Amino acid sequence: MSHGTVESDHAGEDTRTALVTGILGMDGSHLADLLLRKGYTVYGLARRSSRESTSNIAHLEGHPRFTILAGDLTDQNSLIRALKVSGPDEIYNLAAQSFVGESWNTPEYTGNVTGLGVLRMLEAVREHGAPVRFYQASSSEMFGKMVRNPCDEDTPFYPRSPYGVAKLYGHWITKNYRESYGMFTVSGILFNHESERRGIEFVTRKITRAVAMIHAGLADHVALGNLDAKRDWGYAPDYVEAMWMMLQPDEPRDYVVATGETRSVRDFLGAAFSMIDVEDWTPFVRIDPRFFRPAEVDVLRGDASRIERDLGWRPGTPFEEWVRRMVKHDIEEIG
Ligand code: NAP
Ligand code: GDD
């Protein structure tokens, strides 16, 4: 885990309040853990329809400084109410239709939640009136067909999916509200990050669960799409630290958050299967055309030197270590 210079100023005794949208997701739950450790009061926004998938925050049930509020990024009034009830100092807007593959099936819905949802949050902040610091979860998918390698904050965008296009809207509207209204709004352009709490549709978790199933004798293969795709993968608990750090300086600024390393899905398979002492994973993988996308982001790699220089953030957990944690977690869960 990285330790920025700002951390020591607030560690332990913080009395601030944060509102986190997407609280039931991977990042939302890790961020809630971090903020509660720092002493924040945390309100998490969740859709009523999602009350069944609360496993990521089950350990926070009954925490005296943690409250779930009902709300939806497609319902403006619910957002205004959430701000009224929580009275936050900081807002982390993490809610989104976040699965790139699904965004071709539901492009309009993805645009509404992942794009326009950001506008609704910003309007709710304006309506609320009180000074609030706002974090938007921007994405390396906005770089898509990378025009420069590695990508930094000045690299032009070239999204390759309805999800990437929707995120680009969220990114620019966040910047526009900063410039139009002087609001403290920042975007973190985060490259892929994973953890034991990752949704099972994403490739890393799909693989680590399959490895655990194969290890337990409950499956004999995993069906995947493009094994040549390359991603700059990091560990989510490190990345939520970067989100928090971005809201601490006096001046708002956007940052790229990445490891600077890129690996293919094949590399990930090698690392995950090696955790159960399987060197040749090829007999356990079948290629299924259903998992190919209409347009692919072939490779992503980020340059996070600005956030390291300004805020002291660095990715802390090595690749092999977090892959080991994911496989171990899934073996225990399945066992
Ligand atoms: P995630 O696990 O999919 O979490 C997203 C959360 O948003 C889910 O809990 C989901 O609720 C909620 N949500 C979806 N639609 C909503 C709506 N209409 N109203 C309110 N909540 C809604 O995603 P994540 O990996 O934690 O990512 C967090 C954010 O960072 C997302 O915005 C994602 O696009 C972005 N991002 C992620 C990465 C990455 O590699 N993880 C990288 C860059 C950017 P349900 O539980 O009800 O579905
Ligand atoms: N999901 C999935 N399932 N992906 C597969 C599969 C499969 O069976 N087989 C190959 N892949 C490839 C995809 O084609 C893609 O190139 C790569 O694995 C990673 O896919 P995902 O894990 O679904 O993540 P993503 O890169 O598309 O999107 C994630 O990262 C973005 C940041 O770059 C999500 O977390 C987004 O919300 C996030 O913005």
Side-chain angles (χ1 to χ4, degrees):
M1 189 80 66
S2 56
H3 295 283
T5 46
V6 282
E7 177 148 11
S8 55
D9 297 339
H10 301 283
E13 299 304 319
D14 217 304
T15 54
R16 287 178 289 176
T17 297
L19 172 63
V20 180
T21 74
I23 193 72
L24 306 183
M26 175 181 70
D27 286 0
S29 64
H30 286 300
L31 182 64
D33 289 347
L34 176 76
L35 295 173
L36 289 170
R37 273 202 308 276
K38 287 184 183 297
Y40 278 63
T41 297
V42 176
Y43 288 85
L45 191 87
R47 299 185 282 184
R48 275 221 182 276
S49 56
S50 62
R51 286 302 167 87
E52 278 164 26
S53 56
T54 54
S55 58
N56 283 343
I57 56 157
H59 61 289
L60 297 179
E61 207 183 316
H63 193 295
R65 283 183 283 107
F66 183 67
T67 309
I68 295 279
L69 300 175
D72 193 307
L73 285 201
T74 60
D75 185 318
Q76 181 77 68
N77 285 330
S78 72
L79 306 179
I80 293 171
R81 260 196 311 278
L83 260 92
K84 237 184 228 158
V85 171
S86 57
D89 302 290
E90 298 175 358
I91 296 179
Y92 297 86
N93 185 38
L94 310 185
Q97 191 303 91
S98 73
F99 187 34
V100 175
E102 172 61 17
S103 74
W104 278 279
N105 299 328
T106 56
E108 184 184 339
Y109 173 77
T110 301
N112 192 14
V113 176
T114 306
L116 283 179
V118 185
L119 174 69
R120 293 190 193 98
M121 281 303 298
L122 289 164
E123 276 298 305
V125 175
R126 250 173 33 96
E127 177 81 9
H128 185 60
V132 172
R133 295 188 174 203
F134 181 89
Y135 173 89
Q136 167 57 17
S138 284
S139 165
S140 52
E141 269 289 307
M142 300 186 312
F143 293 124
K145 197 172 181 177
M146 281 199 321
V147 302
R148 214 178 287 149
N149 185 354
C151 300
D152 65 16
E153 293 79 2
D154 300 319
T155 305
F157 299 117
Y158 193 147
R160 293 268 286 170
S161 63
Y163 168 85
V165 174
K167 277 287 175 189
L168 200 51
Y169 177 84
H171 183 79
W172 280 109
I173 201 69
T174 300
K175 195 177 169 71
N176 268 262
Y177 270 53
R178 178 164 81 218
E179 293 175 359
S180 303
Y181 304 118
M183 288 162 63
F184 192 112
T185 65
V186 301
S187 287
I189 309 174
L190 271 55
F191 282 64
N192 295 53
H193 46 279
E194 317 294 315
S195 87
E196 302 89 317
R197 300 181 193 171
R198 186 56 141 156
I200 54 174
E201 65 274 38
F202 298 94
V203 77
T204 55
R205 187 78 195 284
K206 188 172 168 183
I207 291 172
T208 60
R209 269 173 71 93
V211 166
M213 297 279 280
I214 291 164
H215 184 62
L218 297 172
D220 62 2
H221 75 279
V222 55
L224 295 170
N226 178 14
L227 304 188
D228 295 318
K230 290 183 170 173
R231 291 292 181 273
D232 180 329
W233 274 302
Y235 190 46
D238 294 344
Y239 284 47
V240 299
E241 283 244 13
M243 296 177 187
W244 176 79
M245 284 176 164
M246 278 182 230
L247 290 194
Q248 309 315 309
D250 293 335
E251 292 301 319
R253 201 172 187 202
D254 298 339
Y255 290 100
V256 158
V257 180
T259 67
E261 295 169 7
T262 190
R263 293 180 172 83
S264 65
V265 175
R266 274 174 212 284
D267 296 334
F268 192 89
L269 281 162
F273 273 96
S274 77
M275 303 296 165
I276 56 164
D277 297 324
V278 171
E279 264 185 42
D280 178 14
W281 47 263
T282 51
F284 299 108
V285 174
R286 290 186 200 157
I287 301 302
D288 186 332
R290 283 182 306 147
F291 298 113
F292 283 85
R293 294 170 179 183
E296 180 62 284
V297 168
D298 297 322
V299 55
L300 285 175
R301 186 159 78 96
D303 172 359
S305 19
R306 181 191 282 181
I307 191 169
E308 179 170 3
R309 203 173 45 244
D310 286 4
L311 307 180
W313 182 88
R314 271 181 297 115
T317 316
F319 176 76
E320 285 74 17
E321 169 56 21
W322 60 257
V323 176
R324 190 191 63 75
R325 287 185 201 175
M326 285 179 72
V327 173
K328 180 170 177 284
H329 169 88
D330 284 341
I331 286 176
E332 284 168 5
E333 197 169 77
I334 280 158

